Amino acid sequence: QVQLVESGGDLVPPGGSLRLSCVISGNIDSVALMGWYRQAPGKQRDLVATITHGGSIKYADSMEGRFTISRDGAKNTMYLQMNSLKPEDTAVYYCNAQGWNLYTYWGQGTQVTVSS
């Protein structure tokens, strides 16, 4: 019912910036909140940030101050602006959406690699 497509991942040097995008389609009205998660090799999938239907934002402690989550309702797109990137930020970044019925949707992921 809901489809999520991430883009914007790339290879960047330490200290660089990236802006990830997630386009949502399908039954958009069923979505209560959206967020970004990431998973590094051999690690758990961890929360990066979330934004609710009403615009409330939460960040994981390690991301706040460097990452900014936002959305453009007219374009049905969510963004993650990432600044001051570190090698430990290297991961697959996933777009997530949760429906009013609590069903969770995931995108396919986009690779972010921070390396010299």
Side-chain angles (χ1 to χ4, degrees), residues 1-40:
Q1 303 108 329
V2 174
Q3 296 82 44
L4 305 171
V5 180
E6 305 98 330
S7 63
D10 205 350
L11 171 65
V12 296
S17 298
L18 281 175
R19 191 189 195 193
L20 306 183
S21 299
C22 173
V23 178
I24 183 171
S25 61
N27 190 9
I28 298 172
D29 291 340
S30 70
V31 175
L33 62 88
M34 297 182 68
W36 290 97
Y37 292 73
R38 70 184 187 184
Q39 187 168 21

Side-chain angles (χ1 to χ4, degrees), residues 72-92:
D72 184 335
K75 297 181 179 179
N76 296 322
T77 302
M78 179 178 66
Y79 304 97
L80 183 68
Q81 178 67 47
M82 305 187 294
N83 299 321
S84 301
L85 285 164
K86 306 173 182 179
E88 52 262 44
D89 294 320
T90 295
V92 177

